[in-house]
Amino acid sequence: MVFDARLTWAGHIEKVIVKCKKVLNVMRCLAGVDWGASRKALKGIYDALIKSVIDYGCIAYRDAAKTTLAKLDVQAQALRICSGAFHTSPAVAIQVEMDEMPLTLRREQLTANYWANLQGQDRSHPTRAVIQVCWEHERVKSQSFGWVGDAIGKEMGLEGKEFSPTVQLPAAPPWDYKEMYIDLGLLEEKQGIGMDKYRVQRYLMEMYREDLIIYTDASKPIDKRMGVAYVIPKLKVKIGQRISDDLAVYTAELVAVWLALLWVEVNRPGKAVIASDSSSALISIKTCQSKSRQDIVIEIIQVANNLLQSGTEITLIWVPAHIVVVGNEFADRCAKQAAGNSNVDIEVNYSKAEIKSMVKNIVKGKWQTLWDSGQTGGQFFYIQNKVGKGRNMNRSKEEEDVLSRMRYGHTRLNKTLVIMKQHADCNCEFCDSPESVEHVILQCPKYQEERQSLSSQLQRKQLRLNLEDILQRSSGEICFKYIFSVLRNTGLIKTI
Ligand SMILES: [Zn+2]
């Protein structure tokens, strides 16, 4: 990063822009309309060579002056090249079409992520000092990370949440632990033949006749709320507990296994089998590796080790969900019920990954509010009123570009050409009304015949003959094929 004496970041941003402009030129060379790189490839270049450069250090340079930050409009230019849009098309619409949030929000997201990451670091981390509470805090208002990070964390409702340690190491070296047997036999079988409850029951009878079987499960029946449960049919034990909101299902599955292990630790049944329907949780435990919840995996391995050392035989087994394995169904129902408890029974801290996904949702909500309240999206707003839903980009470059241009309402038709000063008036040569996308598709008498057959195509899909239905992301894909054949037959594809 480039630092200047007064920390205006002008030098750094200048450097970022020079770097990105070079990439923009490469992208322009690659992006012919009916030849050259696909939209997917161009977006890949943007992600790798422009987005990454803009992102780097943005947590620090975010406090630069607004005018300085505004120079970073290379994002808009790059996305314009990706989507083949004319420079008259509104930038906010292109962001929604390409599923790239505005840079202000992107910076907010990355700041919140980094802030959450620091919360989980231990005190020896050099940057952690900046988020410590200090006497200055009340007196000075500064734009630096310590202040802004706290403010953003507070605004997003992350303040006061417990964060799991970012780096987690087991108390003893992993090779000293006794390994617990993890039976994925049924999982391997599942790929081959059909699995029914009798097969599962028989398998358990054959392999674990002597053992006490404990079923675990996690459930998220209501928005946000999370319940976990372990059930021992033989002893009529049924324990369900509500854990902290907003956790990932995977985390909850691990917590359920961990609780079952704790039960074993207290009651010492001699030989126990814990059955879970979460293959990802069991595989994490088996490999002692988890991207998001290393802390719980290590906890589980440590408890299991204690049990094994003291002579309790303990096995984990995968069983399929939703095929009426009785114990598994009980556990599922019990977890669902527990999620309805009025209070959280067990506080589980949040991992970096979980906070990240929370932040992502919050920022997406902000983007949506921005999109809803903005007046600059034009016709595109009515066609695509939800943000964060990029279209899949599997069509040819030409088709993708034509589609996007029609959606933006900025095409090579006269209505746009007038803005670009390439046409005297905006009128249609055939019927003298303003020539817009809407005019061509819905009104111009020149295309009456095509319109009628399009209308009957749409009726078959239960869609109406209006721009929203025709150009919508979801319903659109169905009739795009037909629209393109019409565009080709009439030669309109070259005009748009
Ligand atoms: Zn016309």
Side-chain angles (χ1 to χ4, degrees), residues 428 431 439 444:
C428 166
C431 65
H439 173 75
C444 188

Side-chain angles (χ1 to χ4, degrees), residues 168-229:
Q168 181 80 30
L169 295 170
W175 54 86
D176 278 356
Y177 287 126
K178 263 197 156 174
E179 232 177 277
M180 168 171 49
Y181 179 59
I182 294 165
D183 185 346
L184 300 177
L186 285 169
L187 187 64
E188 280 148 26
E189 242 177 65
K190 196 181 112 194
Q191 271 94 20
I193 45 160
M195 179 76 62
D196 58 17
K197 62 175 173 178
Y198 304 108
R199 174 70 196 120
V200 179
Q201 238 88 16
R202 212 164 53 233
Y203 189 89
L204 289 173
M205 279 301 279
E206 274 166 25
M207 308 288 290
Y208 305 104
R209 182 181 290 272
E210 311 276 283
D211 303 44
L212 184 69
I213 301 180
I214 308 173
Y215 294 90
T216 68
D217 204 3
S219 178
K220 200 179 198 174
I222 320 160
D223 182 42
K224 281 171 167 236
R225 286 198 183 186
M226 194 61 128
V228 297

Side-chain angles (χ1 to χ4, degrees), residues 267-436:
N267 296 287
R268 301 282 169 165
K271 273 174 112 181
V273 174
I274 298 176
S276 164
D277 58 17
S278 166
S279 54
S280 52
L282 292 188
I283 290 168
S284 295
I285 298 168
K286 192 180 173 113
T287 54
C288 190
Q289 261 175 15
S290 168
K291 266 199 190 122
S292 58
R293 295 311 308 226
Q294 191 65 11
D295 53 337
I296 304 178
V297 168
I298 286 176
E299 190 66 40
I300 287 173
I301 288 169
Q302 277 168 351
V303 177
N305 172 61
N306 291 344
L307 289 168
L308 293 166
Q309 297 281 10
S310 60
T312 306
E313 264 185 59
I314 184 101
T315 309
L316 289 186
I317 179 172
W318 179 84
V319 291
H322 312 301
I323 56 165
V324 214
V325 176
V326 179
N328 183 263
E329 284 296 300
F330 274 153
D332 181 47
R333 230 175 294 155
C334 189
K336 271 200 182 83
Q337 229 168 42
N341 289 358
S342 52
N343 292 317
V344 172
D345 302 307
I346 302 174
E347 294 274 359
V348 177
N349 56 21
Y350 294 87
S351 75
K352 215 170 85 181
E354 276 153 346
I355 296 282
K356 260 188 176 174
S357 96
M358 263 185 243
V359 168
K360 200 174 160 194
N361 283 334
I362 295 168
V363 173
K364 200 173 138 193
K366 285 186 169 191
W367 186 14
Q368 183 68 54
T369 318
L370 222 68
W371 184 229
D372 288 341
S373 63
Q375 310 279 307
T376 42
Q379 144 190 327
F380 186 62
F381 178 77
Y382 299 99
I383 292 167
Q384 174 96 44
N385 55 13
K386 285 263 175 300
V387 304
K389 290 202 165 146
R391 285 189 300 114
N392 59 8
M393 304 185 272
N394 298 328
R395 307 189 149 266
S396 73
K397 171 83 174 133
E398 182 185 38
E399 289 187 350
E400 287 286 0
D401 286 0
V402 166
L403 211 52
S404 287
R405 285 175 191 173
M406 290 201 299
R407 279 154 65 85
Y408 301 142
H410 289 250
T411 59
R412 229 175 272 127
L413 294 170
N414 293 343
K415 206 181 166 201
T416 314
L417 291 184
V418 162
I419 310 173
M420 296 197 281
K421 299 212 164 59
Q422 288 176 20
H423 198 268
D425 52 44
C426 59
N427 289 347
C428 166
E429 258 116 69
F430 190 80
C431 65
D432 254 5
S433 319
E435 191 189 47
S436 61

